[in-house]
Amino acid sequence: VVSTQSGHYGRDTYSGLFCVAVNPYKRFPIYTDTVINHYRGKKKGELPPHVFAIADNAYSDMIQNRENQSILITGESGAGKTENTKKVIQYFASIGAAPAKDGEAKKMSVEDQVVMCNPVLEAYGNAKTVRNDNSSRFGKFIRVHFGKDSKLASADIEYYLLEKARLTYQNPEERNFHIFYQIFKGLTQEYQTNTLLLDTDPNKYKFLTNGDVQVPSQDDVALWKENEEAMDILNFTAEERESILKLMSGCLLFGNTSLKQNKRDEGCEIETPVFIEKAATLFSIPGADFIKCLLKPRVKVGTEMVQKSQNSEQVYFAVKALCKSIFERVFKWLIAKCNHALDTKKPRQHYCGVLDIAGFEIFDFNTFEQLCINLTNERLQQFFNHHMFILEQEEYKKEGIVWQFIDFGLDLEAAIELMEKPMGILPMLDEECVFPKATDMTYLDKVKAQKRKKYRLRLCVDTTAL
C-alpha cells in the first residue's frame, strides 16, 4: 500500500469502493472546470482516480435510483478532509448549476455561498493542534439538495461533536479557537478596550492557556478580514457581529475569575470582581445578581426554593460550564445563520451529502470530545476494513479465484465494545448522569469495578477539563 501511494504522490488511488488520497500539501491544477467536464458522466475506472469521479458516481446514482446519496470523507488530522469536501461541493455545484438566462446577472452559486460559510465556521470551529495548524474541531454533514430537474436547489449544514473543552484548556503548543486570536490581531486596540472591555495582551487570559501562540501559516489579520467579508455576504448585521464578539470577550473575562475559599463555611468569595463585572456587562445582565447566582444559587428543596453556598471548586466548574455552553450556542446560531443564507426556497427532491468528520488524534491529554471523535473514526475504520478486506476476499471466493483467506487483524473491536456495549464506558456514563449526587469519582469507581477484571485500564479523572 505504501509503495503504491508513493508512486501516486499527489494523486488519488482506488481501493475497492474507496478513493485513497495523499495530501501533497501544495496546490495542483487538477480541480479546474476543464477537469470537471472531463469527468462528467464517465464511469469509475474510465479515467485516472479522482475525487470528482466519486462525486459524479454519487450524482448519477441519485438521478438513476432516485435515492439520496452520501459521501464519507475520513482520515487522520491534516489528511485534507476539509479540502476534499470543498472539491466535492465544487463538483456538485458545477454539474448541477442551472444555465444562466440571456441578460440575467450572474447570481452567487451554492458553491460560492458554502465557500463563504467556511471563513466563519473555521474562525469559530477550527484551531491549531500539534499536528495541524488549521484543524477542524467539529464534524459537519453538508447536504446539497437538487430539484426534480436534477439542478441545484439549496444546501444546508449540520454539525457534530464541537470540541467545547478547547475553550477552557489547550495542550502545550496548541491554541484556542482562531476567533480569539483574530480579535486581538484584527480589531483596533480602541475597539478591544472600549467596546469589548479587553486588555490588549492575550497572555493575560487563563482560557488562552499557552498565551499568544504564533502560527506562521495562519495570518490572523488576513483571516479576520476574510471573516468580516464573509459575514457581509451572508447578511450578518453590524449588531449581530458585535453581539458575537461581546460574548466571546465575555467568556475570556469570565474565565479570569479568581476565588477565595471562606474559612468559616463551605462558601467562597470572588477575589477580583472586575473580571466578572465586565463579563456581566458584555452579557447584558446585572453584575450583582450574576455574582449572587454563582456563589449562592437557588435550588428547589421539596416545595421551597433555598440558597445553597458553593465552594470555590464548584463555582469555577460552573464558570467553565457556562462559558462552554455560551460558545456552543453561538456556534449553533452561526450554523443556523449560514443555513438561512443557503436556503433558496426552491423545491427539493433528493440530496447528495458529504460527511467531513473531525480527524483522529491522540494528545498527551485527551478531552471527552476527542474521545468521541476517535471512537467515531474507529467505527469508520471498521467499516473500511470490512469492505476492503473481508467482503473483497469473499468476492474472490464467489468468483472461484484461488485465494488463501487472510486475516489482517489489528483492529480495535475490543476497544469499541469497551466503549459502546451494555455496561460499557459510555452507557455507564449515561446511567451515572441520572443518579443524584453522582460525581466524577463515583463514576470512576464504577468503571474500575466493572472493567478492571477484563481489561488492563489506566484510568484517571481531571475535573478541570470536563
Side-chain angles (χ1 to χ4, degrees):
V1 172
V2 175
S3 175
T4 301
Q5 288 294 257
S6 297
H8 289 77
Y9 184 68
R11 304 202 304 270
D12 301 340
T13 302
Y14 290 137
S15 182
L17 293 174
F18 302 89
C19 180
V20 183
V22 174
N23 188 352
Y25 294 98
K26 62 175 67 174
R27 300 289 180 182
F28 285 108
I30 57 174
Y31 301 106
T32 62
D33 291 338
T34 302
V35 178
I36 289 176
N37 293 329
H38 199 49
Y39 277 86
R40 186 169 183 174
K42 298 293 193 300
K43 292 182 179 179
K44 183 180 174 182
E46 286 187 37
L47 295 172
H50 200 292
V51 66
F52 286 164
I54 300 296
D56 189 78
N57 283 351
Y59 179 73
S60 299
D61 287 347
M62 180 196 72
I63 295 173
Q64 293 174 7
N65 302 328
R66 288 296 172 187
E67 290 181 344
N68 298 329
Q69 305 291 317
S70 290
I71 296 174
L72 167 65
I73 300 178
T74 183
E76 64 181 353
S77 182
K81 298 181 295 300
T82 300
E83 287 301 315
N84 273 283
T85 298
K86 293 176 184 176
K87 302 310 176 188
V88 171
I89 299 299
Q90 175 190 349
Y91 192 84
F92 289 149
S94 178
I95 64 175
K101 297 179 181 179
D102 294 337
E104 184 180 26
K106 185 179 179 181
K107 296 180 180 179
M108 181 173 287
S109 67
V110 173
E111 177 214 350
D112 293 332
Q113 291 175 317
V114 172
V115 168
M116 286 300 101
C117 292
N118 282 328
V120 178
L121 298 183
E122 287 185 4
Y124 291 85
N126 286 27
K128 178 197 180 302
T129 65
V130 175
R131 302 182 62 182
N132 188 352
D133 288 348
N134 189 31
S135 177
S136 297
R137 308 317 302 157
F138 68 102
K140 60 179 177 288
F141 184 56
I142 303 174
R143 299 181 187 88
V144 181
H145 298 274
F146 298 87
K148 291 183 179 180
D149 58 356
S150 302
K151 297 301 180 184
L152 275 178
S154 61
D156 64 75
I157 304 170
E158 191 173 343
Y159 81 96
Y160 307 93
L161 294 173
L162 176 65
E163 190 188 26
K164 303 186 296 292
R166 179 168 295 273
L167 177 68
T168 60
Y169 172 83
Q170 305 93 50
N171 284 311
E173 299 181 23
E174 295 192 347
R175 299 209 310 180
N176 208 317
F177 294 101
H178 293 325
I179 184 58
F180 296 107
Y181 307 92
Q182 292 177 16
I183 287 174
F184 287 107
K185 299 291 178 61
L187 291 169
T188 64
Q189 291 187 357
E190 182 182 3
Y191 190 87
Q192 292 177 42
T193 55
N194 295 341
T195 305
L196 303 183
L197 309 181
L198 291 171
D199 190 294
T200 56
D201 183 5
N203 294 297
K204 294 184 177 180
Y205 295 96
K206 294 179 182 179
F207 282 177
L208 304 182
T209 308
N210 301 313
D212 186 15
V213 179
Q214 299 296 320
V215 184
S217 64
Q218 294 289 309
D219 185 343
D220 292 315
V221 176
L223 291 172
W224 169 255
K225 292 179 180 178
E226 285 184 25
N227 186 14
E228 284 287 277
E229 291 171 3
M231 284 190 165
D232 279 334
I233 293 172
L234 295 171
N235 298 319
F236 283 78
T237 66
E239 183 182 358
E240 288 172 338
R241 281 183 275 187
E242 184 173 292
S243 297
I244 295 170
L245 294 176
K246 283 184 176 181
L247 288 170
M248 296 298 99
S249 303
C251 287
L252 286 181
L253 290 163
F254 199 18
N256 271 16
T257 301
S258 56
L259 303 163
K260 180 175 65 176
Q261 185 67 40
N262 293 337
K263 295 181 179 179
R264 291 178 295 179
D265 54 36
E266 294 182 354
C268 63
E269 298 176 358
I270 294 176
E271 283 188 317
T272 51
V274 61
F275 291 111
I276 196 168
E277 287 171 357
K278 285 184 177 181
T281 300
L282 293 171
F283 295 156
S284 299
I285 55 179
D289 292 342
F290 192 27
I291 293 173
K292 184 178 179 181
C293 289
L294 278 172
L295 300 182
K296 296 183 178 180
R298 298 182 70 204
V299 296
K300 190 172 184 180
V301 178
T303 58
E304 297 182 0
M305 299 295 292
V306 299
Q307 285 189 331
K308 176 180 177 292
S309 294
Q310 300 277 83
N311 60 38
S312 57
E313 183 180 353
Q314 291 171 324
V315 172
Y316 198 53
F317 186 90
V319 167
K320 291 192 288 187
L322 279 169
C323 288
K324 286 187 280 189
S325 179
I326 290 169
F327 188 85
E328 183 171 37
R329 291 187 183 201
V330 169
F331 190 80
K332 185 177 181 179
W333 181 84
L334 288 170
I335 293 283
K337 188 75 176 178
C338 290
N339 285 338
H340 180 73
L342 294 172
D343 187 4
T344 61
K345 304 299 182 183
K346 293 181 180 178
R348 302 172 176 180
Q349 187 73 11
H350 299 288
Y351 69 79
C352 285
V354 186
L355 177 62
D356 174 17
I357 196 68
F360 180 93
E361 292 201 42
I362 298 178
F363 300 110
D364 291 334
F365 183 86
N366 297 282
T367 62
F368 176 73
E369 289 92 346
Q370 190 62 49
L371 174 67
C372 294
I373 289 167
N374 289 350
L375 175 62
T376 303
N377 278 281
E378 186 56 41
R379 290 297 301 269
L380 296 174
Q381 185 64 40
Q382 294 294 313
F383 176 83
F384 177 86
N385 289 346
H386 182 70
H387 283 79
M388 271 290 298
F389 302 131
I390 298 175
L391 296 186
E392 283 293 314
Q393 292 187 88
E394 289 179 356
E395 190 68 25
Y396 294 165
K397 186 177 180 181
K398 290 178 182 178
E399 295 178 1
I401 298 174
V402 178
W403 181 265
Q404 184 176 358
F405 192 86
I406 301 173
D407 182 8
F408 289 88
L410 299 178
D411 60 56
L412 292 178
E413 186 64 36
I416 293 175
E417 291 182 0
L418 171 65
M419 295 296 298
E420 292 187 336
K421 285 291 182 72
M423 294 306 292
I425 288 176
L426 291 181
M428 289 177 70
L429 177 60
D430 289 337
E431 182 182 88
E432 194 69 9
C433 289
V434 178
F435 281 95
K437 297 184 179 181
T439 66
D440 299 330
M441 296 311 299
T442 59
Y443 170 62
L444 178 63
D445 291 339
K446 287 185 180 180
V447 171
K448 284 181 177 179
Q450 182 68 26
K451 302 299 181 184
R452 181 169 278 171
K453 295 179 181 178
K454 185 175 181 181
Y455 299 96
R456 295 175 60 189
L457 298 179
R458 187 174 58 188
L459 299 169
C460 63
V461 170
D462 186 341
T463 57
T464 62
L466 293 179

